[in-house]
Amino acid sequence: MPDTNLMPIAGLDNPVTTPRDVTPREDGRIDLVGLPQARICEILEEAGLDTKQAKLRSKQIFHWLYHRGATEFADMTDISKTMRPWMEEHFILGRPNIIEAQHSTDGTRKWLLQTDDGHDFEMVFIPDADRGTLCVSSQVGCTLNCTFCATGTMRLVRNLTPGEIVGQVMLARDALGEWPKGKMDISDEADAAEYRADGRLLTNIVMMGMGEPLYNFDNVRDALKLVMDGHGLALSKRRITLSTSGVVPMMARCGEEIGVNLAVSLHAVNKEVRDEIVPINRKYGLEELLQACADYPGASNARRITFEYVMLKDKNDSDADAHELVRLIKQYDLPAKVNLIPFNPWPGSAYECSTPERIKSFSNIVFEAGISAPVRTPRGRDIDAACGQLKTAAEKKSRAERDREAAAADAE
Ligand code: SAH
Ligand code: SF4
């Protein structure tokens, strides 16, 4: 079992909660990234501002922080010059630390990041012709032990905070140069209109990095609220997908309280194989999982549930498996699409990827039943861009080597 001492897991039935929203820092300052406007307001009051001032300043800070991407109070031109040093003294606008930044020949970018208390996690950006998808992590490691997943071999260190989750999206916008320009005046509507989605590189977010997002429900929800807030990062919930390995008791709340698209890591169509490769299946079986999908709030033909299916040679890839997948989707009348993911091997993994012919045959069977079943092109293979792989590779590097690379990343 993973060692979860640093942050006890409240039983696998419950998501892991993190009661403190403000992580104490050694220098005594408070990191405002990850906090909603109402909380920033409270904190400003606690630090000494009167209610009216705190309200106004929290609105301004919220806008600069999440909508404009400010990393320093000095940039907040509509906050008086005399107040900015006071803010600098009490608060920071943090970002995750970059340990390593890699750029694949196919355009995929991958970052190995680190929390302030020294835990590594990762984030991947995958550009396509018509979209750019950021793959965001929710935990350092994972309590679940899916046998094909490199993250599953790591112990869970801790949940990421809302700031560390939304911080990934903010860091990606920094790196891609995608914060809106303009006159920076929030009272000016014409200026606000400069914030357009068209032409942007980062258009979609998937919660498919390290960790099980539904075991860190509160923090993921709070972070995604900031991402979806029109006054915040302003990304539509239709462009956000949360992937779960099947934490059935949290799925309805995910639909109700977050409202994003759902992806389910199905990977097998019978109990025997799914119990083995996605062990949470022993707790929440296929019938329960598919029923929760059928009940998922907001799912419709226009907003389908994605079933992820990793293609493992001689394990889950037969024609019979494909037919069974179709039968299950029809039995539960699911508005579904299937993503076939070629297995990306990692050092020590016990599986091989199915042959291209096998994947094609599987895909054809699902397609012929009227269900979309594209085969995902492996991306960023030259930089180990699959879940959990960069971190595993980086753990083998020396400290000096990492420091050198971090310095180079800063200079980029
Ligand atoms: N814990 C969540 C989200 C993170 S994993 C979940 O399991 O859904 C997201 C996806 O990464 C999984 O569905 C799996 O398909 C994919 N994945 C993990 N390891 C992989 C590998 N070695 N090759 C291909 N896909 C992998
Ligand atoms: Fe955790 Fe998802 Fe990997 Fe399974 S596939 S070990 S749930 S990150």
Side-chain angles (χ1 to χ4, degrees), residues 42-61:
E42 277 172 21
I43 286 172
L44 289 177
E45 271 196 274
E46 282 159 23
L49 296 192
D50 68 38
T51 310
K52 203 167 148 235
Q53 272 287 320
K55 255 199 175 137
L56 171 68
R57 299 306 177 200
S58 63
K59 187 172 176 202
Q60 290 169 317
I61 291 174

Side-chain angles (χ1 to χ4, degrees), residues 142-146 148-149 151-152 209-212 245 265 267 387:
C142 187
T143 45
L144 300 167
N145 300 98
C146 303
F148 58 87
C149 172
T151 307
M210 289 168 62
E212 168 50 58
S245 56
S265 292
H267 304 316
C387 180

Side-chain angles (χ1 to χ4, degrees), residues 259-270:
V260 291
N261 304 320
L262 184 69
V264 172
S265 292
L266 195 65
H267 304 316
V269 290
N270 62 59

Side-chain angles (χ1 to χ4, degrees), residues 242-259:
L242 183 147
S243 174
T244 181
S245 56
V247 184
V248 170
M250 298 309 294
M251 285 168 58
R253 279 187 68 192
C254 175
E256 282 154 14
E257 295 178 36
I258 315 179

Side-chain angles (χ1 to χ4, degrees), residues 21 27 62 72 104 128 150 199 262 359 365 384 401 408:
D21 63 343
D27 64 7
F62 188 90
E72 290 179 48
S104 162
D128 273 309
L262 184 69
I359 298 176
I365 291 169
D384 292 334
E401 202 177 344

Side-chain angles (χ1 to χ4, degrees), residues 69-309:
T71 51
E72 290 179 48
F73 291 97
D75 296 337
M76 303 186 179
T77 46
D78 54 358
I79 295 179
S80 71
K81 269 208 171 117
T82 48
M83 187 171 273
R84 286 183 237 158
W86 176 83
M87 288 184 169
E88 209 84 55
E89 218 173 277
H90 286 80
F91 310 113
I92 67 152
L93 311 169
R95 294 282 194 273
N97 304 306
I98 300 175
I99 299 293
E100 191 170 331
Q102 292 183 304
H103 214 137
S104 162
T105 46
D106 69 10
T108 302
R109 297 173 70 152
K110 180 151 184 168
W111 290 265
L112 180 67
L113 305 174
Q114 194 173 67
T115 62
D116 268 340
D117 55 346
H119 301 302
D120 295 353
F121 61 104
E122 57 195 34
M123 161 176 105
V124 182
F125 177 69
I126 306 156
D128 273 309
D130 59 339
R131 63 169 68 183
T133 306
L134 186 71
C135 180
V136 170
S137 291
S138 57
Q139 298 181 309
V140 180
C142 187
T143 45
L144 300 167
N145 300 98
C146 303
T147 48
F148 58 87
C149 172
T151 307
T153 64
M154 300 169 197
R155 67 192 188 98
L156 176 81
V157 179
R158 69 164 171 82
N159 282 332
L160 292 175
T161 63
E164 289 158 349
I165 298 168
V166 72
Q168 295 171 61
V169 186
M170 296 166 78
L171 197 68
R173 277 215 177 142
D174 294 346
L176 299 168
E178 292 206 308
W179 293 103
K181 308 286 185 293
K183 294 192 300 295
M184 306 276 177
D185 177 359
I186 48 172
S187 59
D188 182 344
E189 286 301 319
D191 188 39
E194 292 228 10
Y195 200 33
R196 291 183 304 259
D198 41 307
R200 292 251 292 276
L201 291 168
L202 199 177
T203 58
N204 291 59
I205 291 180
V206 291
M207 295 301 302
M208 289 188 191
M210 289 168 62
E212 168 50 58
L214 294 188
Y215 274 157
N216 186 15
F217 182 80
D218 290 3
N219 291 354
V220 167
R221 176 199 55 209
D222 293 353
L224 290 181
K225 288 229 144 113
L226 298 168
V227 173
M228 296 185 286
D229 190 326
H231 297 288
L233 285 138
L235 207 88
S236 158
K237 65 177 184 180
R238 291 173 193 281
R239 294 187 169 275
I240 303 175
T241 301
L242 183 147
S243 174
T244 181
S245 56
V247 184
V248 170
M250 298 309 294
M251 285 168 58
R253 279 187 68 192
C254 175
E256 282 154 14
E257 295 178 36
I258 315 179
V260 291
N261 304 320
L262 184 69
V264 172
S265 292
L266 195 65
H267 304 316
V269 290
N270 62 59
K271 178 170 164 50
E272 194 199 339
V273 178
R274 198 162 192 273
D275 274 357
E276 177 193 330
I277 68 177
V278 188
I280 196 178
N281 195 65
R282 296 176 207 155
K283 195 165 190 79
Y284 309 115
L286 271 167
E287 293 78 21
E288 265 181 278
L289 175 60
L290 294 172
Q291 190 54 50
C293 290
D295 298 339
Y296 187 70
S300 67
N301 278 330
R303 289 187 77 195
R304 291 168 191 274
I305 293 174
T306 305
F307 288 104
E308 292 156 279
Y309 201 97

